[in-house]
Amino acid sequence: MIAEAFRLAARSIIRNKLRSFLTILGIVIGVAAVIAMVTVGQGSSQQVSASVEAMGSDVLVLRPGRREFGPPGAGGRARPFTLRDAEALALLPEVGALAPIVTSSQTVIAGNANAATQITGSTPDWLGVTNWSLAAGRNFTPAEDNAGLAVCLLGQTVRQTLFGDADPVGQTVRIKSIACQVVGLLAPKGAGSFGQDQDDVVAMPIRLLQRRLAGDTDVSTIQIKVAGGVSVQEASSAIQQVMRERRRLSIDKDDDFSLTDMKEIATMLNSVNSVLSGLLSSVAAVSLLVGGIGIMNIMLVSVTERTREIGIRLAVGASARQVLTQFLVESVALSLLGGIIGILVGLAMAGVASRFMAIPFVADPMVILGAFGFSALVGVIFGYFPARRAARMDPIEALRHQ
Amino acid sequence: MTTLIEFRNVSRVYGQGEAEVRALDGVDLKVDRGEFVAIMGPSGSGKSTAMNIIGCLDRPTGGQYLFDGTPVEHLSPDARALLRRHYLGFVFQGFNLLARTSALENVELPLIYKGLPRADREAKARAALAKVGLQGREGHHPSQLSGGQQQRVAIARALAGDPMVILADEPTGNLDTQRSHEIMGLLKELNRDEGITIVMVTHEADIAAHARRLVVFTDGRITRDEPAEGAVA
């Protein structure tokens, strides 16, 4: 009987192709939105955990100013650190390695080509602390760093812009007044947690940047790798204590610096993610509701149009239940069709979005199954009322209907 | 002969109080198995109401209706649907076939609700169409068939469910004289050869003449009940 009802439903849907399509459009849009949203959301949270993994979960970032979240460089007005702070912290047994960092936006010129990029000044330990490696050439040495010699490392994006695929090692690039010798090429790293291009970078000794580009002795960030066998908490409290002493903060004063570990950043990013997808999902839910009402509307029209057919069916011995089943199956078939198309459209949209946002494409079978089940549910809920109306018809009246 | 349809003081009242209409007013009627009864009467005489009650589409508001010895006036809509499904076949004036559906599928309709497997359904429907002389037209839609052919499909549909009774409500009302007599010939054949009881409403005397018994309704009561001319022939 159910199989028969499905056959009938399929026939009636095919008979009214355009109407069926318009009817299920709301469901298609709703399901597609949910699927696209969740798929992109899961992809980006996987991206976040991957980038945290890459950074290492034992990395702490020390910034001047109160605790606040945001992309690097969004720090407040509090006193910056100096290289002496970094040196003091390096002496702590809880600290494995650290890299003081200063950044500056500059244009890098080589021959006719130029690239606007981010210059990162740090110590030779920077590569180790940030889990980065070189594709070619060598790192700059502590001696070069101390002397502030004009040497630098190019990121892949800058290298592409300036030299194409050619080997940049040994070449000279100009940054403002500095003629800087390229000694190494950074390995490709890809997009960061905020979607920024991490390869769009030039690294140089911190003292060179301070003297020749910034003109001061400030350090904006210190990235710290916790020593082996020491917990992030232990290291945090040791670093906090040293920094409070060095910045002469009395007991009643709050920290004027912040210490963030990567796990925290990941949590924060993921929560932003889930708020966003929750918001969009509720929009999608409204769309599903509207889609369901659309199905109800069309089913009511269909029941009225087919009054005579219902009368005939009742006369030849269909029970009210069988008539109910027939119309319910039809509305479920409609909404399921909408759901299936929506799933396909949503996955396609997510696929395109993932490619653009350079995040992994994660199709979760549970979500797809859920969307499938939910669209069936919409069909049952919104199909029930019209189906009941059909089932409750008086056969005599229905047969008389013109 | 056993009694198949029995009305005991059946009445059917529509509306209440001032607006009350007594469509049937204390009707007693017995139809035996194998009979061919024509019901006649002017509009509003109650003949259609009687038909609807016999067909279990409607219920009497008073009295008793026994079908094959069982009182059915208190049955639920679903129980009445079961009765229709297994014992009754309908033929209507307007044919009432499903549009855009082949003759074969139209005839299969009652068998779907009987729960027959698809192959059996098709075989039975083909046999029923053959019996009404429509072999070779199984795939035609109602719009591709003449009125007479459409009514044959409707008769095949009534026949397919192996009914005890066929209820025909003005079966020739939409047909010309020649087709009308052809359809009546078919009904007579079914009554004679298959032993199917037939109750038919008509307002044409020459159509009623095909039956063996004539019942005339006037103002909700039976005013005549006599052998029809066909009984003699």
Side-chain angles (χ1 to χ4, degrees):
Chain A
M1 185 60 215
I2 293 277
E4 202 59 46
F6 260 106
R7 226 162 51 87
L8 270 171
R11 179 187 283 195
S12 130
I13 289 169
I14 290 165
R15 226 172 236 175
N16 303 299
K17 282 190 199 73
L18 180 64
R19 179 159 104 182
S20 305
F21 171 72
L22 293 175
T23 304
I24 63 176
L25 204 55
I27 302 283
V28 170
I29 292 170
V31 169
V34 171
I35 290 285
M37 225 82 78
V38 173
T39 305
V40 169
Q42 284 185 340
S44 83
S45 76
Q46 198 172 83
Q47 158 92 350
V48 167
S49 19
S51 68
V52 167
E53 199 85 348
M55 275 295 255
S57 51
D58 55 349
V59 170
L60 291 166
V61 178
L62 183 62
R63 289 200 183 91
R66 300 259 173 111
R67 162 165 303 242
E68 56 186 315
F69 292 120
R77 304 220 129 254
R79 267 179 298 156
F81 308 123
T82 63
L83 281 175
R84 289 185 190 287
D85 292 322
E87 280 155 16
L89 289 175
L91 295 176
L92 283 171
E94 289 87 351
V95 171
L98 58 73
I101 293 169
V102 189
T103 58
S104 171
S105 291
Q106 299 292 345
T107 302
V108 184
I109 302 166
N112 295 327
N114 63 76
T117 186
Q118 176 100 329
I119 315 291
T120 296
S122 191
T123 57
D125 285 338
W126 180 66
L127 280 184
V129 171
T130 53
N131 269 353
W132 215 330
S133 57
L134 289 171
R138 60 171 179 87
N139 195 359
F140 52 85
T141 63
E144 283 168 333
D145 180 31
N146 283 331
L149 287 184
V151 290
C152 61
L153 311 173
L154 292 193
Q156 289 289 346
T157 306
V158 178
R159 174 262 190 129
Q160 276 298 329
T161 314
L162 297 182
F163 300 103
D165 290 327
D167 184 7
V169 176
Q171 302 286 335
T172 302
V173 297
R174 202 154 57 74
I175 305 166
K176 268 191 158 172
S177 63
I178 314 169
C180 202
Q181 195 195 357
V182 178
V183 293
L185 175 65
L186 291 162
K189 203 166 194 183
S193 321
F194 297 95
Q196 79 278 26
D197 180 7
Q198 297 184 106
D199 293 321
D200 188 8
V201 71
V202 172
M204 60 168 58
I206 190 166
R207 287 183 176 81
L208 174 67
L209 194 151
Q210 285 176 333
R211 280 175 210 162
R212 308 276 300 268
L213 294 177
D216 55 33
T217 58
D218 297 348
V219 170
S220 52
T221 316
I222 302 177
Q223 275 201 24
I224 300 156
K225 197 161 197 157
V226 175
V230 178
S231 77
V232 171
Q233 281 78 7
E234 283 175 87
S236 292
S237 60
I239 292 163
Q240 189 187 19
Q241 204 181 328
V242 169
M243 289 311 295
R244 285 187 71 88
E245 277 170 22
R246 292 190 58 82
R247 293 163 87 84
R248 299 203 175 77
L249 296 173
S250 52
I251 296 172
D252 58 328
K253 285 242 177 73
D254 288 336
D255 292 352
D256 63 353
F257 55 88
S258 71
L259 197 53
T260 325
D261 67 76
M262 291 315 291
K263 244 183 230 148
E264 244 176 296
I265 292 175
T267 311
M268 185 264 300
L269 282 174
N270 279 330
S271 74
V272 167
N273 233 327
S274 62
V275 166
L276 210 69
S277 58
L279 208 73
L280 293 170
S281 295
S282 55
V283 172
V286 170
S287 170
L288 277 177
L289 181 77
V290 173
I293 293 169
I295 284 186
M296 176 148 78
N297 187 18
I298 287 301
M299 287 309 294
L300 281 172
V301 169
S302 171
V303 166
T304 308
E305 270 182 3
R306 287 153 72 184
T307 300
R308 210 177 167 80
E309 176 194 326
I310 294 164
I312 295 169
R313 289 179 185 277
L314 288 169
V316 303
S319 64
R321 194 190 188 79
Q322 285 169 325
V323 173
L324 183 94
T325 308
Q326 184 194 331
F327 281 91
L328 211 50
V329 163
E330 192 167 322
S331 72
V332 170
L334 270 175
S335 65
L336 265 185
L337 185 67
I340 290 168
I341 296 174
I343 287 167
L344 296 178
V345 171
L347 287 177
M349 278 170 22
V352 172
S354 308
R355 181 160 291 197
F356 270 111
M357 293 162 69
I359 58 172
F361 176 72
V362 191
D364 185 345
M366 282 316 290
V367 172
I368 291 168
L369 219 64
F372 194 77
F374 194 79
S375 44
L377 190 71
V378 165
V380 171
I381 291 172
F382 291 97
Y384 184 75
F385 176 66
R388 201 187 55 167
R389 175 178 277 197
R392 286 189 175 178
M393 274 186 188
D394 174 20
I396 299 169
E397 289 295 321
L399 281 170
R400 226 175 263 156
H401 188 91
Q402 287 309 311
Chain B
M1 278 266 170
T2 45
T3 305
L4 188 58
I5 292 165
E6 184 173 1
F7 276 20
R8 286 184 185 162
N9 195 28
V10 164
S11 47
R12 178 68 171 92
V13 180
Y14 296 101
Q16 279 182 334
E18 295 280 302
E20 188 182 278
V21 177
R22 301 188 78 84
L24 288 181
D25 192 5
V27 172
D28 288 299
L29 175 69
K30 269 191 187 181
V31 176
D32 286 341
R33 223 178 259 265
E35 276 198 271
F36 189 161
V37 184
I39 298 179
M40 290 187 78
S43 309
S45 61
K47 59 185 196 300
S48 289
T49 307
M51 247 342 224
N52 287 337
I53 290 176
I54 293 172
C56 294
L57 293 168
D58 197 3
R59 286 197 290 190
T61 47
Q64 246 196 333
Y65 170 28
L66 288 91
F67 184 86
D68 204 16
T70 314
V72 297
E73 72 273 9
H74 294 304
L75 292 181
S76 69
D78 275 358
R80 284 186 278 136
L82 278 175
L83 262 175
R84 291 197 294 273
R85 187 186 301 171
H86 291 286
Y87 302 117
L88 303 172
F90 289 88
V91 178
F92 303 94
Q93 176 178 3
F95 319 135
N96 277 339
L97 299 175
L98 297 184
R100 296 197 285 181
T101 305
S102 71
L104 188 69
E105 284 174 300
N106 262 295
V107 177
E108 278 185 41
L109 194 62
L111 305 175
I112 291 174
Y113 295 113
K114 275 191 156 179
L116 258 68
R118 211 164 157 180
D120 295 4
R121 238 159 50 202
E122 201 185 310
K124 265 199 123 150
R126 279 183 191 283
L129 279 170
K131 214 174 272 177
V132 300
L134 283 181
Q135 56 270 70
R137 310 219 177 236
E138 288 86 353
H140 286 52
H141 288 194
S143 57
Q144 299 166 317
L145 296 169
S146 70
Q149 288 170 328
Q150 289 187 50
Q151 195 61 298
R152 282 168 191 272
V153 174
I155 292 171
R157 180 177 66 192
L159 211 53
D162 292 328
M164 293 166 87
V165 187
I166 287 182
L167 299 170
D169 192 354
E170 305 251 16
T172 60
N174 287 9
L175 301 176
D176 61 39
T177 317
Q178 200 196 332
R179 305 282 163 258
S180 295
H181 287 289
E182 280 173 23
I183 291 293
M184 290 319 297
L186 180 58
L187 286 177
K188 272 202 312 210
E189 212 179 286
L190 292 174
N191 174 248
R192 192 179 59 228
D193 301 344
E194 314 271 331
I196 297 172
T197 310
I198 296 179
V199 180
M200 172 181 76
V201 165
T202 182
H203 60 262
E204 292 168 84
D206 61 326
I207 295 299
H210 287 278
R212 281 187 283 174
R213 177 180 167 193
L214 177 67
V215 174
V216 178
F217 277 76
T218 315
D219 294 333
R221 292 169 192 274
I222 294 176
T223 49
R224 265 167 68 194
D225 188 347
E226 59 195 24
E229 294 163 42
V232 189

